[in-house]
Amino acid sequence: MKFDRAIKIAPSILAADFADFGAECRAIEAEGCDWVHVDVMDGHFVPNITFGPQVCRAIRPHVNTVMDVHLMIAPVDPFLAAFGAAGADIITVHQEAGPHLDRTLQAIRDLGAKAGVALNPATAPETIEYVLDRIDLVCVMTVNPGFGGQSFIEAMAPKVRRLREMIGERPVHIEIDGGVTAETAPLVAAAGADVLVAGSAVFKGGSAANPAPYGKNIRAIRDSAEAARK
């Protein structure tokens, strides 16, 4: 993974057809997505259950870009190795999910994966100030985690701006997860975000058998985000 700050669209398969993940991953990649985002939820840290490392392992052969795995689980440390073995390129853990974040991030890097930290809406950027040199990505939750299809929290745009200042020249991505659409993407792109996770906004209107709407949706989000940077 070569680092750059170009806008990247990372569709969340949480909004895809669960019965056909392989075809859905191939379809969104063919229609121009940059990463494939996998939301893992445990029914404990967040009020929903999705899937685990076995699903990640099953879809890995169908993902040719970047498999971006977001762990909304606690405790998280006992499961890192399983997701690394499943082929995750990026493993993102929540700042709020455990007491030893620095140790967790080092464990992810020891697995050969990129390390990410996610921040819930109420969590301040300063909570990760002392691990910025341990991370490859910061994921700003722009909804309260647990379910897809929620409304974007506009108060998170200043948080993105503050993180961009804190990161400086470090090769760290700022990812946005929650409520991203062609209308909200410019707010965070202008503030410094470069990876946009979108679920329903990408998958609406299409299917693996009819993927053209996926491409149209991806282009609309990308175009609006890139325009906000000019």
Side-chain angles (χ1 to χ4, degrees), residues 78-153:
F79 301 96
L80 296 176
F83 284 100
D89 294 300
I90 303 169
I91 298 176
T92 296
V93 299
H94 271 257
Q95 184 275 346
E96 309 87 1
H100 304 297
L101 181 59
D102 184 87
R103 179 184 295 163
T104 300
L105 296 170
Q106 188 58 53
I108 294 171
R109 287 188 157 187
D110 287 347
L111 293 169
K114 300 289 187 181
V117 177
L119 301 176
N120 282 338
T123 302
E126 287 73 20
T127 59
I128 60 168
E129 181 176 1
Y130 299 108
V131 295
L132 286 175
D133 292 316
R134 293 277 202 194
I135 64 176
D136 302 286
L137 175 147
V138 181
C139 176
V140 178
M141 295 303 301
T142 44
V143 299
N144 289 294
F147 295 94
Q150 298 184 71
S151 297
F152 179 88
I153 301 173

Side-chain angles (χ1 to χ4, degrees), residues 22-104:
E24 292 278 47
C25 290
R26 295 192 300 272
I28 55 177
E29 288 193 336
E31 292 296 330
C33 81
D34 302 284
W35 296 3
V36 174
H37 189 81
V38 183
D39 285 308
V40 176
M41 305 181 190
D42 64 357
H44 170 68
F45 181 68
V46 293
N48 195 9
I49 297 173
T50 55
F51 28 73
Q54 295 90 344
V55 170
C56 292
R57 184 186 295 276
I59 68 171
R60 177 71 263 191
H62 304 277
V63 177
N64 293 308
T65 55
V66 173
M67 189 161 80
D68 174 31
V69 178
H70 177 190
L71 300 182
M72 288 170 268
I73 66 176
V76 68
D77 289 0
F79 301 96
L80 296 176
F83 284 100
D89 294 300
I90 303 169
I91 298 176
T92 296
V93 299
H94 271 257
Q95 184 275 346
E96 309 87 1
H100 304 297
L101 181 59
D102 184 87
R103 179 184 295 163
T104 300

Side-chain angles (χ1 to χ4, degrees), residues 1-6 8 35 90 135-139 167 170-175 192-195:
M1 289 172 55
K2 183 180 177 181
F3 180 83
D4 65 67
R5 297 196 191 281
K8 297 160 203 61
W35 296 3
I90 303 169
I135 64 176
D136 302 286
L137 175 147
V138 181
C139 176
I167 288 166
R170 295 177 178 88
V172 177
H173 295 291
I174 299 179
E175 179 176 75
D194 59 287
V195 183

